[in-house]
Amino acid sequence: MVRAAAQRLRDLRRRTADRRFGIHLFASAAVAATAAVPFGLLLVLVEGHWQPLRRLDAGAARRLNEAALEHPAWTSTLRFLSDRVWDPVTLRTAVALLTVWLLYRRAWRLAAWSAATATAGGLIGLLVKIVVERARPSLEDPVAHAPGFSFPSGHAMTATISFAIFLLVLLPLVPRALRALCWGVAIVSVLGVGFTRIALGVHWFSDVVGGWLLGLAVVALTTWAFEAWRADVGRRPAGLSEGLEPELTGAHPEPGPSVRNHHGGSVRD
């Protein structure tokens, strides 16, 4: 009787945690655009046409455009990286495939976190672009063109969110000796995306920084929601070096209800 009561209490705790997880996840996504103080400050400076920032943007765009014109082979490489390897469609497709794999692994809440983080990032970035309506750089001899508004950089924001998802999901499956390499690849990729967008003359420097900051805000808040769920179900906090769910390496990535076996004990679903 005591064991059955304890099991009912655990199952009730898990169901309550699931409800709190959903509330935390979608509430954090809703406030992600206004939660990051650095991004908010940058947005104010962009909207206020702060002269030091405008000079920095113009100077970076001019110098990199001159370098791109002088080195066409280098420019072609940047365009390939920006339009193929690090393109938002490519990265979002990779995140979608990762989410499907998580569903196959029955890591339901980790899959929900991955999908919600990527979706929230895309929608928030689009909303900010529409509100700010910042024009892209206008250069005398451009080497590339891009449609839509400029702030924040969708490429930079998508890369930040996508590589954060890859790291936080897959790190438990990576040997510890290789985890530093994975972090290095992710950081270089995110920085590389920003550099290509400025060098190709399709974004201002502040657009790229804004994309990085807003992407980090979205990931930080949805990650907080996931950690809140882990705490609610009694799981230990996972450090960044371990990924969001270290249990992904096991047969049962997430806690589930228990059922009675024919010996009177309990087993996991």
Side-chain angles (χ1 to χ4, degrees):
M1 180 177 296
V2 174
R3 182 179 296 176
Q7 183 57 50
R8 286 195 297 270
L9 180 61
R10 285 194 295 269
D11 289 344
L12 176 61
R13 186 182 186 185
R14 181 185 56 80
R15 289 192 296 269
T16 302
D18 285 345
R19 288 193 294 269
R20 291 179 181 174
F21 170 66
I23 294 171
H24 285 313
L25 189 63
F26 292 105
S28 63
V31 302
T34 58
V37 173
F39 175 78
L41 176 60
L42 180 62
L43 178 58
V44 169
L45 297 178
V46 168
E47 286 282 75
H49 305 288
W50 192 49
Q51 288 302 315
L53 182 60
R54 297 187 69 177
R55 287 194 294 269
L56 174 63
D57 281 337
R62 183 184 66 257
R63 287 190 294 271
L64 288 175
N65 179 246
E66 291 171 354
L69 291 171
E70 293 173 0
H71 303 88
W74 177 66
T75 303
S76 297
T77 300
L78 294 181
R79 188 179 291 111
F80 172 77
L81 291 171
S82 180
D83 296 343
R84 296 291 184 270
V85 179
W86 292 326
D87 183 70
V89 174
T90 302
L91 295 178
R92 288 168 184 159
T93 300
V95 170
L97 292 175
L98 177 63
T99 302
V100 171
W101 177 77
L102 289 172
L103 292 173
Y104 171 77
R105 288 280 288 110
R106 303 176 70 86
W108 313 116
R109 297 164 191 85
L110 194 57
W113 172 83
S114 172
T117 301
T119 302
L123 293 176
I124 290 170
L126 179 61
L127 176 62
V128 175
K129 279 180 179 286
I130 294 173
V131 171
V132 176
E133 293 186 333
R134 190 186 199 188
R136 292 182 183 270
S138 179
L139 303 170
E140 292 184 4
D141 196 359
V143 298
H145 299 275
F149 297 118
S150 191
F151 183 89
S153 166
H155 276 68
M157 185 173 178
T158 301
T160 302
I161 292 173
S162 298
F163 281 101
I165 291 173
F166 299 150
L167 281 174
L168 293 175
V169 169
L170 297 176
L171 274 182
L173 306 177
V174 177
R176 289 188 178 275
L178 298 178
R179 290 181 184 179
L181 176 62
C182 292
W183 276 99
V185 170
I187 292 171
V188 169
S189 296
V190 170
L191 294 176
V193 169
F195 178 77
T196 62
R197 301 309 283 171
I198 303 170
L200 292 173
V202 293
H203 275 295
W204 303 108
F205 173 77
S206 54
D207 296 337
V208 169
V209 175
W212 288 336
L213 292 175
L214 190 55
L216 285 173
V218 172
V219 172
L221 288 169
T222 57
T223 298
W224 170 82
F226 194 88
E227 289 292 340
W229 168 75
R230 285 182 62 87
D232 283 343
V233 297
R235 284 190 164 177
R236 65 177 178 84
L240 288 179
S241 62
E242 299 178 273
L244 271 185
E245 196 163 69
E247 297 83 1
L248 190 62
T249 56
H252 301 283
E254 297 182 5
S258 299
V259 295
R260 307 291 291 181
N261 63 22
H262 63 280
H263 296 296
S266 61
V267 296
R268 284 277 302 273
D269 275 353

